[in-house]
Amino acid sequence: MTDKDTILKVNHISKLYPGVTALDDVTFSLDRGEVRGLVGENGAGKSTLIKCIMGVETPTSGSIEVQCDGEWVKNHSVEEAQRHGVFANYQTVNIAPELSIAENYFLGNQPTKNGVIQWQQMFQESQKILDRFSIDADPRTKINMLPIAMQAMITISKIAVNDDLRVVIFDEPTALLENEKVEILFRFIAALKESGVSIIYISHRLEEIIEICDTVTVLKDGQYISTKNVAEVDKDTLIAMMVGRQMTDIYEIRHAEHGEPLLEVSNFSNRFNFNDIQFILHRGEILGFFGLVGAGRSELMRAIYGLDSNATGEIKVQGKPVHITSSQKALKEGIGFLTEDRREDGLALGLSIQTNINMNSYHRISRGSIIDLTKEKDRAKQYSRDLFIKTPSIRQLVQNLSGGNQQKVVIAKILANLPEILIFDEPTVGVDVGAKSEIYKIMESLVDSGKGIILISSYLPEVMGLSDRLLVMSNGIITASYGKDQLKEISEEQILKDASVDA
């Protein structure tokens, strides 16, 4: 490739934060129409690099240039990057929740006539995009009325509104998507490539990198390691480059002996999302739940946790009937809930690791209204060690941590309240292979100590590999149940069929 074929140059980029070197002399280039995978553990510097490319962050040293109409230009803001044809789809859902789908698509660029917004035109154009991406929604619907997975698909499809694209960055775009939507995304990426648009594709699902990328760049601890043609590597090679060591099958965790029932759910229904749900979670068990978008898994767990006033049915905790009407009551009954959106529901991003870990359990280290500050600090240090939270200090703000370390802070916060029952909804979304392995080891130790875990995951290899039993949901009902031995034999295709049954 000649220089005129190059669309993006990253030249000796370094980015320093107080106590942290996020990027250290990173250099590479991207060619026109190339799909480049970008991989590395959480904390490798991928998110910081995206921010520098998009003009959100200014590098401490070095430069980033984009070829725009034959000239090399630099981005000093997101607006400037977008004027140069550079767009990013971030790992976290990044749209205006109080606005409609159509308003989000055309935010700041509404079609007008004589100064009047042409709403009908906007709705019609939005419907074309929704149809292109097979999104079953009305363009007038507010974003906050949609499931989180559909919100994720809206943020991806929003890119299609733009005509002048040069570089598009996808950061963990499939983390919340079902298989059908992943295929639609991949077709969109192929169409962008065909039209000469360059792609930077970030994913911890390495099979995706190998399937759709031409090349792959590896970062480790903020440093550039290598760029390889995808045809030259496999998953094991990439993992070794990312983590500096070979890794065995990360789903091969030790499974505990099951004890008495911890949680019994009977005849559990609500008017909208699930009907007549019945299951038992035992001590020492990992009970998996799988389903496609709209199956009702997350809504079911939120109802069990007391966040749905419309739910009816019976819940027993350790054999005792309970009536859980709030998250506070759920916590008192020994239930901990890791939600699928850690940034929105699980963390106080502007506060420290120490505060976040203790947030739900200050009553355990207080006398009257006086907090024992020594215990607060000691507990934060202990959980940070036990859960492998990588940080220079427990006073570090959570917003400055990598995604994997943020997730481990949420888990630590839950464990600090000493629950017996743990609901983990998408616990490894946006988490690298090394951090995933650490989270699985945490789960292993929890069931080893007699806790019970409900695991919800949209990633079939994960939920099949970790679960002692797997329940499949479709349209609000349980359509299939598989034990550990059956999970070793059954195909992913069969489970997807079970997840597609009409109620």
Side-chain angles (χ1 to χ4, degrees):
M1 286 281 180
T2 63
D3 191 60
K4 74 175 186 177
D5 295 313
T6 301
I7 194 74
L8 176 73
K9 292 179 179 177
V10 177
N11 304 309
H12 301 286
I13 287 294
S14 293
K15 179 63 181 177
L16 309 180
Y17 297 103
V20 178
T21 300
L23 293 170
D24 184 8
D25 195 32
V26 173
T27 297
F28 67 87
S29 62
L30 179 69
D31 290 323
R32 196 179 310 278
E34 179 182 2
V35 181
R36 170 71 59 84
L38 182 62
V39 300
E41 292 188 277
N42 289 110
K46 304 185 300 297
S47 295
T48 303
L49 180 59
I50 293 171
K51 292 174 183 176
C52 290
I53 292 172
M54 290 302 300
V56 176
E57 295 279 5
T58 302
T60 305
S61 61
S63 66
I64 297 175
E65 300 174 290
V66 179
Q67 189 171 172
C68 183
D69 299 327
E71 295 184 5
W72 288 102
V73 297
K74 298 177 182 178
N75 299 324
H76 300 97
S77 68
V78 173
E79 293 76 19
E80 200 168 13
Q82 292 178 348
R83 283 202 303 273
H84 295 149
V86 183
F87 290 81
N89 177 79
Y90 293 101
Q91 179 178 330
T92 52
V93 174
N94 191 23
I95 42 182
E98 292 295 331
L99 299 182
S100 69
I101 296 172
E103 288 170 311
N104 270 276
Y105 278 161
F106 290 93
L107 192 60
N109 192 32
Q110 297 94 335
T112 59
K113 185 176 181 180
N114 299 323
V116 178
I117 294 176
Q118 300 300 292
W119 289 100
Q120 196 58 38
Q121 180 186 344
M122 199 162 77
F123 292 142
Q124 289 172 353
E125 293 299 318
S126 297
Q127 189 62 58
K128 291 177 184 177
I129 298 171
L130 292 170
D131 292 343
R132 178 181 178 184
F133 287 86
S134 299
I135 301 172
D136 184 16
D138 188 315
R140 298 168 179 79
T141 305
K142 281 189 177 183
I143 294 295
N144 59 12
M145 300 300 292
L146 302 173
I148 187 72
M150 192 175 287
Q151 292 182 31
M153 200 64 192
I154 296 295
T155 63
I156 291 168
S157 61
K158 190 171 186 276
I159 292 169
V161 177
N162 305 286
D163 295 323
D164 189 20
L165 296 172
R166 289 180 175 82
V167 178
V168 178
I169 303 169
F170 290 99
D171 187 5
E172 296 290 346
T174 64
L176 294 169
L177 302 185
E178 59 193 74
N179 286 24
E180 177 193 353
K181 292 297 188 284
V182 172
E183 291 172 9
I184 293 169
L185 168 64
F186 287 178
R187 288 200 295 270
F188 178 47
I189 289 173
L192 290 174
K193 173 183 167 68
E194 183 68 22
S195 66
V197 177
S198 303
I199 307 292
I200 295 177
Y201 189 89
I202 301 170
S203 179
H204 294 305
R205 297 179 178 180
L206 299 181
E207 63 271 22
E208 295 179 357
I209 299 291
I210 291 169
E211 180 178 349
I212 68 165
C213 295
D214 303 308
T215 54
V216 55
T217 292
V218 181
L219 299 181
K220 178 174 170 55
D221 299 329
Q223 296 182 325
Y224 172 87
I225 300 300
S226 182
T227 296
K228 299 283 190 183
N229 289 324
V230 162
E232 300 173 356
V233 298
D234 57 20
K235 284 175 62 176
D236 290 340
T237 304
L238 290 176
I239 290 170
M241 293 169 68
M242 288 164 53
V243 304
R245 64 188 187 279
Q246 297 291 334
M247 294 194 69
T248 56
D249 185 352
I250 58 176
Y251 305 121
E252 284 296 322
I253 66 171
R254 184 176 62 254
H255 290 268
E257 290 291 327
H258 299 174
E260 73 273 13
L262 277 177
L263 177 69
E264 299 171 75
V265 176
S266 305
N267 306 314
F268 206 58
S269 304
N270 79 357
R271 288 178 291 171
F272 311 104
N273 307 112
F274 52 88
N275 183 56
D276 196 26
I277 299 296
Q278 308 196 44
F279 68 87
I280 298 174
L281 172 70
H282 297 85
R283 243 181 225 292
E285 181 181 28
I286 298 177
L287 176 61
F289 273 79
F290 178 79
L292 305 179
V293 173
R297 303 164 306 158
S298 295
E299 292 83 358
L300 169 63
M301 298 308 158
R302 291 177 68 84
I304 290 171
Y305 197 63
L307 300 178
D308 180 358
S309 59
N310 295 303
T312 60
E314 184 179 17
I315 297 176
K316 292 181 180 179
V317 174
Q318 298 188 57
K320 180 187 74 173
V322 296
H323 184 53
I324 300 173
T325 56
S326 67
S327 58
Q328 289 79 13
K329 288 191 176 181
L331 289 170
K332 287 181 180 178
E333 295 295 346
I335 302 175
F337 186 20
L338 175 68
T339 66
E340 61 182 333
D341 189 345
R342 61 175 172 259
R343 295 176 67 88
E344 185 68 26
D345 300 327
L347 294 168
L349 294 169
L351 299 180
S352 68
I353 295 170
Q354 177 172 310
T355 302
N356 270 272
I357 287 176
N358 286 285
M359 189 175 292
N360 279 358
S361 54
Y362 273 116
H363 62 281
R364 296 186 179 277
I365 55 171
S366 303
R367 180 170 294 177
S369 59
I370 307 299
I371 297 169
D372 187 324
L373 298 179
T374 300
K375 287 183 179 178
E376 179 191 35
K377 182 171 67 174
D378 289 346
R379 290 196 336 150
K381 285 183 175 179
Q382 183 65 50
Y383 280 107
S384 294
R385 284 194 299 269
D386 291 348
L387 274 64
F388 320 108
I389 297 170
K390 298 178 179 68
T391 176
S393 167
I394 57 172
R395 299 184 183 214
Q396 176 78 273
L397 299 185
V398 169
Q399 65 192 16
N400 295 330
L401 299 177
S402 66
N405 284 305
Q406 287 182 356
Q407 190 74 317
K408 287 185 276 188
V409 170
V410 184
I411 295 172
K413 181 185 78 170
I414 294 168
L415 297 183
N417 203 48
L418 307 179
E420 293 295 310
I421 299 161
L422 293 149
I423 302 171
F424 285 172
D425 193 353
E426 305 287 2
T428 62
V429 165
V431 172
D432 68 75
V433 66
K436 279 183 182 179
S437 180
E438 291 170 347
I439 289 172
Y440 299 156
K441 290 297 181 185
I442 293 166
M443 293 171 64
E444 178 185 79
S445 67
L446 288 170
V447 293
D448 229 16
S449 67
K451 314 286 188 190
I453 296 176
I454 294 175
L455 169 65
I456 304 172
S457 177
S458 300
Y459 189 42
L460 267 174
E462 177 177 75
V463 74
M464 292 174 70
L466 295 174
S467 300
D468 296 300
R469 281 187 299 136
L470 177 62
L471 302 182
V472 184
M473 289 186 67
S474 177
N475 293 304
I477 64 170
I478 294 174
T479 57
S481 175
Y482 297 101
K484 188 67 184 172
D485 291 338
Q486 292 172 300
L487 288 172
K488 293 176 182 177
E489 305 294 333
I490 198 163
S491 67
E492 292 186 16
E493 288 75 16
Q494 180 57 54
I495 291 177
L496 286 169
K497 285 180 183 178
D498 296 330
S500 305
V501 172
D502 289 331

